[in-house]
Amino acid sequence: EVQLVESGGGLVQAGGSLRLSCAASGFTFADYTIGWFRQALGKEQEGVSWISSRDNVTHYAESVKGRFAISRDNAKNTVYLQMNSLKAEDTAVYYCAAGWDFKGSYSPEPYEYDYWGQGTQVTVSS
């Protein structure tokens, strides 16, 4: 059974930090690009950050560049999202997703991802 389980969300004050984790099982984790997406209440889902299956190349949305850092530990089948200097506009449910066959790259499109976690709430108070 394929599973992606996010953890690490919570309530934090603006300027604070959180570290999200995404633990995967049931598929060959190292072969998949992993993305973090988020959806705020009443808004469309948006891509946040991605890490490729080859060479761990990372990509970030402009809105989080310089504040967020994505990393992966293939030995633990886990991806992390370190979020610093959090802002109220970062408040959302954060989802991790796994996508295959991006040829070492990534896609910002949610529909191209095969597996999804259940999400973890991040709330930033101003």
Side-chain angles (χ1 to χ4, degrees):
E1 180 188 4
V2 171
Q3 279 195 317
L4 289 171
V5 180
E6 301 96 336
S7 61
L11 174 64
V12 64
Q13 288 189 333
S17 299
L18 282 174
R19 188 196 196 202
L20 304 184
S21 298
C22 171
S25 61
F27 62 99
T28 308
F29 179 77
D31 289 345
Y32 282 71
T33 289
I34 305 297
W36 284 97
F37 297 82
R38 66 186 181 187
Q39 188 163 21
L41 196 62
K43 296 187 177 181
E44 290 190 359
Q45 191 177 56
E46 64 170 338
V48 175
S49 183
W50 303 265
I51 186 164
S52 67
S53 60
R54 304 177 193 176
D55 301 323
N56 290 346
V57 177
T58 59
H59 308 270
Y60 299 93
E62 284 298 321
S63 59
V64 306
K65 199 172 289 185
R67 299 188 297 122
F68 290 12
I70 190 171
S71 61
R72 67 190 295 163
D73 184 341
N74 287 343
K76 295 182 178 180
N77 284 4
T78 301
V79 167
Y80 305 97
L81 185 67
Q82 178 67 43
M83 305 187 296
N84 300 323
S85 302
L86 283 161
K87 305 175 181 180
E89 51 264 43
D90 294 318
T91 294
V93 178
Y94 284 70
Y95 301 89
C96 65
W100 185 74
D101 200 22
F102 293 139
K103 297 179 173 54
S105 186
Y106 82 109
S107 169
E109 300 296 341
Y111 70 84
E112 296 205 71
Y113 286 76
D114 305 297
Y115 309 126
W116 288 81
Q118 82 290 348
T120 186
Q121 176 71 46
V122 172
T123 303
V124 184
S125 63
S126 56

